[in-house]
Amino acid sequence: MTRRDRPAPRPRRPRSRAGLLLAAAALAGTGIAPPGAAHAGAARTAPFRAADTGARITAETRLGPNEVDITIDSPSLGKSVKTRILLPKGWSPDAAETWPVLYAYHGGQDDYTSWPRNTDIEGWAAAYEAIVVMPEAADGAYANWYNYGRGGTPKWQTFHTQEVVQLIERNYRANGTRAAIGDSAGGQGAITYAARFPGMFTHVASLSGVLWLRAPGMPALTLATNALNGQDPFAIYGFVVANADNWRAHDPYELAPRLRGTKIFFSSGTTGEPGPGDPPGTPWDVGLFSEKQVGETNVAFRDRLDELGVPYTADIYGAGRHNWPSWIRVATRIWPDLMASIGARRA
């Protein structure tokens, strides 16, 4: 949505000797963990299986015993991008067991390292027997771009909902039980994907996502944000009036009836005032102004679900900026519920 205030980089935990050896192997170009590394399982010998589109994993780099970066050559994007994976203890490419997956989508002006850079998601994940996947999303708006009716690349929706899902399930012992969480644009993406593909996720959570894309003033704010990101603002959804059907097709508010049967959580601030731990702000503070605008769409989305009789859980918490401190407070609270929804056992 907009550039968010980020906390100072979180000091990374010291790596074990095994972790250092893994990193050295990656730097040497092997990308393969040495046999016997703690919890890393056997070195992969079988080739990676491709997705139906032909998307394939071209590199695997182990960052630690349970942390992997993969490079995906994606036909849907027309380029290669990375995805980070957190694996449960005891994971092995040859394990008989399979694990449920939580997808963590990042916000605008960020990348696939956003969650581990700003939160302790590695610690959260380590407490449960589940796989956590953080795919690249760039500033793609979690959509297959309209491109003035021509379609074509980038197809971020196809990348996330088909290519990444299939590559994880075919190569990392993931089963078909999935949940998703996202901040800002990633929150909008999580809710939109759940609505466009009912049954794909058992549980979705949006942290300050825009949940009424066509709310008064929101199209202008969306177009301006995309323009500031250096993109053609009309290439994503098209023109607001002339291509209204395409805007509606990606609007959580419009798609709300399709969410019935999916467990839904969403949260946002609404007052445009600093929340707990936030520095003082001014009325023109972009982090406060944008959160107030986002909050209005969350209130409208809540009212829409009430009208439809679709169950949900919401935390419309009033004061708070469009930033990580707010999202961390919420994410740490709902993480156990997300894990329970996919049947992830305590590690």
Side-chain angles (χ1 to χ4, degrees):
M1 177 62 191
T2 59
R3 185 174 297 278
R4 299 165 304 285
D5 288 348
R6 298 173 183 162
R10 177 174 55 87
R12 297 190 67 83
R13 295 182 292 276
R15 287 182 175 162
S16 65
R17 178 175 175 80
L20 293 173
L21 288 172
L22 295 171
L27 289 172
T30 65
I32 301 295
H39 309 304
R44 184 184 295 274
T45 55
F48 290 108
R49 296 174 59 197
D52 291 348
T53 64
R56 60 196 182 95
I57 297 171
T58 58
E60 179 191 70
T61 303
R62 287 194 176 273
L63 307 177
N66 301 92
E67 191 168 6
V68 178
D69 274 359
I70 59 173
T71 301
I72 300 173
D73 179 14
S74 167
S76 297
L77 301 179
K79 62 180 180 181
S80 292
V81 296
K82 290 187 176 183
T83 287
R84 182 156 297 180
I85 309 169
L86 303 178
L87 298 166
K89 294 176 182 178
W91 179 92
S92 160
D94 303 316
E97 184 178 358
T98 61
W99 287 267
V101 183
L102 174 71
Y103 290 88
Y105 299 130
H106 69 76
Q109 299 177 330
D110 221 323
D111 62 25
Y112 74 102
T113 68
S114 179
W115 279 87
R117 184 170 11 97
N118 292 290
T119 77
D120 188 30
I121 194 170
E122 293 149 321
W124 305 344
Y128 292 89
E129 295 184 9
I131 299 170
V132 177
V133 179
M134 295 161 279
E136 179 61 60
D139 288 312
Y142 294 86
N144 288 355
W145 285 25
Y146 187 65
N147 287 326
Y148 299 94
R150 297 188 304 271
T153 60
K155 298 178 181 178
W156 287 101
Q157 174 186 279
T158 302
F159 173 69
H160 290 137
T161 63
Q162 294 183 38
E163 292 178 347
V164 172
V165 168
Q166 290 174 3
L167 290 172
I168 296 300
E169 293 180 2
R170 293 174 184 180
N171 296 286
Y172 287 94
R173 307 300 298 155
N175 60 37
T177 305
R178 317 176 195 96
I181 187 173
D183 66 279
S184 194
Q188 175 189 334
I191 299 291
T192 301
Y193 287 167
R196 287 177 66 88
F197 303 100
M200 180 174 183
F201 300 114
T202 62
H203 194 172
V204 287
S206 167
L207 313 178
S208 298
V210 173
L211 301 185
W212 186 11
L213 192 58
R214 298 173 68 246
M218 188 52 66
L221 185 57
T222 299
L223 293 169
T225 299
N226 290 326
L228 289 172
N229 288 339
Q231 300 171 147
D232 177 349
F234 299 104
I236 299 176
Y237 304 122
F239 295 101
V240 179
V241 176
N243 307 120
D245 286 347
N246 197 53
W247 280 75
R248 281 194 289 266
H250 295 87
D251 190 337
Y253 183 92
E254 301 284 352
L255 296 169
R258 298 171 61 87
L259 288 166
R260 197 180 304 276
T262 299
K263 193 171 182 178
I264 308 161
F265 174 86
F266 53 98
S267 65
S268 70
T270 55
T271 64
E273 298 177 354
D278 285 341
T282 61
W284 53 88
D285 184 314
V286 67
L288 297 177
F289 170 77
S290 61
E291 185 67 6
K292 186 174 186 297
Q293 300 298 109
V294 167
E296 291 176 359
T297 75
N298 278 247
V299 170
F301 183 70
R302 180 192 63 190
D303 294 346
R304 174 71 167 147
L305 294 178
D306 284 340
E307 175 187 325
L308 294 168
V310 175
Y312 64 86
T313 302
D315 182 6
I316 308 300
Y317 47 79
R321 303 183 88 254
H322 197 74
N323 63 4
W324 274 107
S326 296
W327 304 330
I328 290 170
R329 285 193 295 271
V330 177
T332 53
R333 191 174 73 250
I334 67 170
W335 192 268
D337 197 27
L338 287 166
M339 291 292 104
S341 293
I342 57 176
R345 300 185 300 270
R346 278 274 185 179

